[in-house]
Amino acid sequence: MTRSARIIGAPTDYGANRRGVDMGPSAIRYAGLAAKLESAGVGTIDDGDVQAPRAEERDPDVVQPKTGKTKFLKEIEDVSRQLATRVSDALNNGETPLVLGGDHSVAIGSLVGSAADADIGTIWFDAHADLNTPETSPSGNVHGMPLAAALGIGEFEETVWANAPRLSEENVVLVGLRSVDKSENQLLEERGFTAYTMSDIDKRGIAAVTEEALEIAHDGVDGVHISLDLDWLDPKEAPGVGTPVRGGATYREAHAAMELVANHDGPRSFELVEVNPTLDQHNETASLATELAASAFGKTIL
Ligand SMILES: NC(=[NH2+])NCCC[C@H](N)C(=O)O
Ligand SMILES: [Mn+2]
Ligand SMILES: [Mn+2]
């Protein structure tokens, strides 16, 4: 059966520390996403964007009364709800949702939608663990919290709109870590996640790590959501991101990992996040994102 991808844009920067990442969906489309997928034999339907209130209309000093310093939680809830519905609708239609961020807070909606009617796992390709909660976050930026939100950790236990009902931490695998906050490290030690750092990739190689990650994420579930934060890659390859960290995955490592994703049933749902065109050079990060999506959807060299 040929796969068809439903492209869903989530042009939001509410979860990030800097502006501009809301232009990610445009930049990724402009870089030729649909054409690259089509050349890999993947049908595409572009669903347009979810509605995110314009940045210019919002209150920059907004403070959430309950959570203190968590920024723009209301706006993020609104985007997450819309996105979750679009993602689960696509899946019910037999299509593979391909979400374009936006900052990484969009993963809340992707995960909630992907886990609405199935048991899922996820692989989080990222320099960061994104496991902060409103209480532990050093920044108040929700893009550092989406995994904790989707799993209902800490204060997120009460946050119904952010809980991915059928995602369990035993099927959550983080790959490529190199910037982890203390409280995140503690969660990684205490709970059922599997985490591979860049140093694991150095020692074991990207193929062995990714294959193991896929086994764990897929174990006993219906499918796996792939979350690809472009800051997973080294900033030399992907300069257009808001929180770059040296020592990331190389161009070839990233393709190798995505090809293994394709070979292992392909993604149940997929997202490209944190592409910020205002920080990019000639749209190269967006362009790289399109290439990696094509690899994850089955494009090979020959
Ligand atoms: N999706 C991302 N780029 N996350 C960066 C998170 C950085 C830091 N850990 C924080 O909580 O603020
Ligand atoms: Mn990151
Ligand atoms: Mn991230």
Side-chain angles (χ1 to χ4, degrees):
M1 198 182 74
T2 53
R3 193 181 264 273
S4 96
R6 182 170 287 264
I7 298 166
I8 308 164
T12 172
D13 63 358
Y14 284 111
N17 56 335
R18 47 215 297 187
R19 300 283 314 278
V21 69
D22 56 316
M23 291 184 265
S26 252
I28 296 169
R29 286 190 178 100
Y30 178 69
L33 177 65
K36 273 190 197 116
L37 289 166
E38 304 271 350
S39 78
V42 179
T44 60
I45 306 145
D46 197 325
D47 215 14
D49 293 339
V50 301
Q51 296 295 312
R54 289 180 53 76
E56 285 69 21
E57 288 161 22
R58 69 197 184 198
D59 175 1
D61 301 319
V62 80
V63 173
Q64 303 298 320
K66 205 170 159 222
T67 50
K69 57 187 177 154
T70 309
K71 296 170 189 156
F72 302 116
L73 207 50
K74 274 234 150 51
E75 290 80 357
I76 290 165
E77 170 177 359
D78 180 42
V79 171
S80 301
R81 284 187 192 274
Q82 295 177 57
L83 186 57
T85 305
R86 298 252 204 141
V87 166
S88 72
D89 285 353
L91 286 163
N92 290 333
N93 252 348
E95 297 146 3
T96 306
L98 200 181
V99 173
L100 312 180
D103 68 73
H104 217 158
S105 68
V106 307
I108 299 172
S110 304
L111 286 167
V112 171
S114 195
D117 301 303
D119 296 321
I120 69 161
T122 188
I123 304 184
W124 205 261
F125 291 98
D126 200 328
H128 308 95
D130 295 346
L131 273 171
N132 275 303
T133 66
E135 198 185 347
T136 67
S137 171
S139 61
N141 297 321
V142 178
H143 76 161
M145 315 183 197
L147 251 187
L151 290 161
I153 294 175
E155 307 91 301
F156 285 121
E157 208 183 328
E158 314 288 315
T159 316
V160 281
W161 56 268
N163 278 228
R166 297 172 66 178
L167 170 69
S168 80
E169 56 194 49
E170 279 68 33
N171 296 103
V172 173
V173 188
L174 302 94
V175 174
L177 292 173
R178 57 193 186 278
S179 173
V180 180
D181 298 319
K182 262 215 180 76
S183 54
E184 294 180 309
N185 201 355
Q186 203 175 330
L187 275 179
L188 290 173
E189 275 172 16
E190 285 167 8
R191 303 179 70 129
F193 309 110
T194 305
Y196 299 99
T197 64
M198 281 313 298
S199 149
D200 293 316
I201 295 173
D202 294 339
K203 288 185 215 133
R204 299 182 52 196
I206 190 68
V209 165
T210 307
E211 267 161 11
E212 205 171 276
L214 283 159
E215 292 296 330
I216 295 166
H218 274 275
D219 190 25
V221 298
D222 303 307
V224 169
H225 173 71
I226 301 293
S227 194
L228 176 51
D229 182 329
L230 270 290
D231 71 32
W232 176 53
L233 285 109
D234 193 88
K236 286 200 192 92
E237 321 274 4
V241 297
T243 48
V245 189
R246 290 176 74 170
T250 65
Y251 178 82
R252 279 311 315 160
E253 283 172 336
H255 271 293
M258 293 305 116
E259 287 179 13
L260 290 167
V261 165
N263 289 343
H264 203 119
D265 293 352
R268 171 177 171 81
S269 44
F270 188 90
E271 73 196 341
L272 296 165
V273 300
E274 296 285 340
V275 172
N276 186 333
T278 68
L279 305 169
D280 207 0
Q281 289 164 19
H282 304 288
N283 218 28
E284 65 176 304
T285 307
S287 177
L288 174 58
T290 66
E291 281 189 35
L292 294 174
S295 281
F297 278 76
K299 189 170 170 53
T300 52
I301 295 172
L302 293 179

